Amino acid sequence: MLIKSIESLDKGLNVLWSNNSLSSYPWFWLRDHSESQEDLHPDTKQRQIDSFSVSLNNSVNKVWLDESSESIFIKWEDQSESTLSFELLKTMSVPSLPQSYTLNSTNTWNSSNEIKDFPEITYQELMSDGGIKTWLKHIQRVGFALVIKTPETPEATKDLMEKMAYIRNSIFGGFSVWDNKLENPDDTAFTSLAIEPHTDGTYVHDAPGLQTLHCIKRDSIGGENQLIDGLAIAEKMRHEHPDSFEILCNINIPGRYIKPDTYLEAHRPLFRVNDNDDIIQVSFNNHDRAPFRLENNLMDKFYDAYKIFHNLANDTSRQFEFMLDPGKVLTFDNWRLLHARSSLTGYRQLCGGYHNREDFESKLRSI
Ligand SMILES: [Fe+2]
């Protein structure tokens, strides 16, 4: 979209675009969003202009458009100058409320058969130039990726994770190595017990964005992993059970984690949506759900809605089941997919950790 013409008015600047749409930008907004070297630091991209502490004289002396630098220049009565790129004006051409990053719904899946272009790459491919893009795009599209032929060591797994970003610290530490023979496990994850579908961190305000798991030693029977697309369940419930969907968008469910000297608790609806009703996060952990009580009528409705979600998540036909074998590293979107594990006998040693959501989004923006 190119600029056809501009027109200065008392209240602001009108821009007529090549598709004949018109955008009206107020003078104050234009000055506040100036990208000149004085107003926006050229390296840090942080705003330098202070639009609020001094009352700026926003009377306009002259406005002109420069095709070569693809910018609009504004000279104010006080002789200062603002610059705004066509790109910024184009991005801001239609007013809208800022929205959180929505989950990508190009390949939601209700069964493993619906996973298109199976998200698997080799360790060598990931660690080579451009490999990270394939890896991240898989995670963004279907919610997970498997990296195969990975050296069966904690070091290689950590290197892989650090291709994305620094590893997040949590109550369980940062990058960790553990097995199922801990004397005093502080979470079911560190035992041999089955774990039903859940997302991690319902008891923290900012749940981990991604989780990576690598089973580096395995001498066991059972312990298969299951992944379930929470976004697909959300969309199914939105269409087939709209009242229940609404309840799960609106009622904050408390999650908790308790051990000696620690009591974490956070509250979030099962489906977090933005102002456009797009899903931005799915949070579900029945094991970690803390006590809460609503008015009886609403509590009944909540239980009905929660049961629908629970049963869909536990429906094995919706689950992608696989074995975490040494060499195969799983990374999944903990804001979208639920994960589960069958019980096992024998020994296994795992390693892995978490990434923050914003670091995943940051990498997606910059690759
Ligand atoms: Fe988990």
Side-chain angles (χ1 to χ4, degrees):
M1 197 162 63
L2 302 168
I3 293 179
K4 235 179 181 177
S5 64
I6 56 173
E7 185 187 10
S8 282
L9 302 171
D10 283 351
K11 287 192 167 178
L13 184 73
N14 273 2
V15 173
L16 182 65
W17 297 98
S18 51
N19 66 356
N20 286 327
S21 62
L22 186 74
S23 303
S24 301
Y25 305 91
W27 294 122
F28 187 90
W29 185 92
L30 290 163
R31 194 157 193 181
D32 184 46
H33 283 80
S34 170
E35 299 169 291
S36 70
Q37 291 221 351
E38 295 74 36
D39 296 335
L40 189 73
H41 193 286
D43 298 321
T44 68
K45 304 297 176 199
Q46 289 176 295
R47 181 178 279 106
Q48 301 299 305
I49 184 169
D50 182 353
S51 312
F52 304 103
S53 51
V54 213
S55 155
L56 301 170
N57 178 357
N58 286 337
S59 308
V60 180
N61 190 322
K62 192 178 165 198
V63 184
W64 70 100
L65 189 147
D66 183 64
E67 293 284 359
S68 60
S69 64
E70 298 195 334
S71 297
I72 281 180
F73 293 85
I74 305 167
K75 189 154 196 173
W76 309 94
E77 286 291 353
D78 62 13
Q79 297 306 305
S80 58
E81 215 171 271
S82 297
T83 312
L84 289 106
S85 63
F86 293 176
E87 188 57 37
L88 176 67
L89 294 168
K90 193 167 75 177
T91 315
M92 300 285 141
S93 60
V94 179
S96 66
L97 287 168
Q99 298 297 335
S100 298
Y101 188 96
T102 58
L103 296 178
N104 182 300
S105 56
T106 51
N107 188 183
T108 52
W109 43 279
N110 294 284
S111 72
S112 53
N113 298 333
E114 292 179 10
I115 301 171
K116 295 169 208 139
D117 181 17
F118 191 76
E120 186 175 87
I121 63 167
T122 64
Y123 181 78
Q124 197 182 13
E125 195 185 342
L126 168 58
M127 301 308 273
S128 64
D129 285 351
I132 189 165
K133 189 168 181 176
T134 314
W135 185 46
L136 292 177
K137 289 287 176 188
H138 279 323
I139 299 169
Q140 186 193 33
R141 184 175 52 83
V142 291
F144 73 97
L146 294 169
V147 180
I148 57 169
K149 297 184 184 169
T150 306
E152 297 158 17
T153 64
E155 293 76 21
T157 315
K158 191 162 179 275
D159 286 349
L160 174 158
M161 289 187 72
E162 287 175 343
K163 282 289 274 186
M164 170 101 60
Y166 63 94
I167 296 164
R168 166 176 168 147
N169 221 329
S170 78
I171 190 101
F172 307 115
F175 180 81
S176 308
V177 183
W178 69 94
D179 62 24
N180 57 334
K181 300 294 174 194
L182 292 177
E183 274 193 16
N184 297 304
D186 52 11
D187 195 276
T188 322
F190 309 123
T191 69
S192 303
L193 299 169
I195 310 173
E196 75 164 42
H198 67 283
T199 58
D200 277 18
T202 52
Y203 43 77
V204 293
H205 298 304
D206 169 29
L210 299 180
Q211 183 172 173
T212 294
L213 288 170
H214 186 191
C215 178
I216 43 179
K217 284 184 191 146
R218 189 167 88 80
D219 181 15
S220 57
I221 298 168
E224 294 84 359
N225 276 78
Q226 296 86 23
L227 295 173
I228 303 101
D229 189 357
L231 178 60
I233 298 179
E235 295 305 342
K236 183 179 171 66
M237 286 190 69
R238 188 203 296 272
H239 292 110
E240 296 177 14
H241 307 278
D243 294 343
S244 294
F245 176 79
E246 274 305 305
I247 284 176
L248 297 181
C249 289
N250 289 307
I251 291 180
N252 282 316
I253 302 169
R256 70 178 180 184
Y257 175 89
I258 303 172
K259 67 173 190 175
D261 301 327
T262 306
Y263 194 137
L264 302 179
E265 183 165 324
H267 307 80
R268 219 168 12 254
L270 202 155
F271 299 132
R272 205 152 69 85
V273 295
N274 64 15
D275 297 324
N276 297 328
D277 267 350
D278 294 319
I279 309 283
I280 55 177
Q281 185 180 10
V282 177
S283 301
F284 177 83
N285 193 328
N286 195 37
H287 297 298
D288 292 345
R289 181 162 49 89
F292 70 105
R293 182 168 172 247
L294 309 168
E295 291 292 342
N296 290 352
N297 190 27
L298 188 56
M299 195 81 218
D300 283 348
K301 288 182 178 160
F302 169 79
Y303 275 137
D304 288 345
Y306 196 79
K307 183 178 176 180
I308 293 171
F309 183 92
H310 172 278
N311 290 352
L312 285 167
N314 280 276
D315 176 351
T316 52
S317 73
R318 304 188 74 82
Q319 300 181 352
F320 165 56
E321 183 173 271
F322 64 104
M323 187 65 86
L324 268 182
D325 283 317
K328 188 190 286 182
V329 182
L330 166 70
T331 299
F332 62 90
D333 182 345
N334 185 58
W335 282 31
R336 169 173 169 181
L337 297 198
L338 293 93
H339 58 289
R341 186 191 68 201
S342 306
S343 62
L344 65 133
T345 54
Y347 178 82
R348 63 180 199 170
Q349 187 182 44
L350 294 105
C351 65
Y354 295 132
H355 282 110
N356 285 315
R357 184 76 192 172
E358 63 271 20
D359 294 318
F360 172 48
E361 292 176 6
S362 159
K363 212 70 183 177
L364 278 170
R365 285 188 195 102
S366 44
I367 53 174

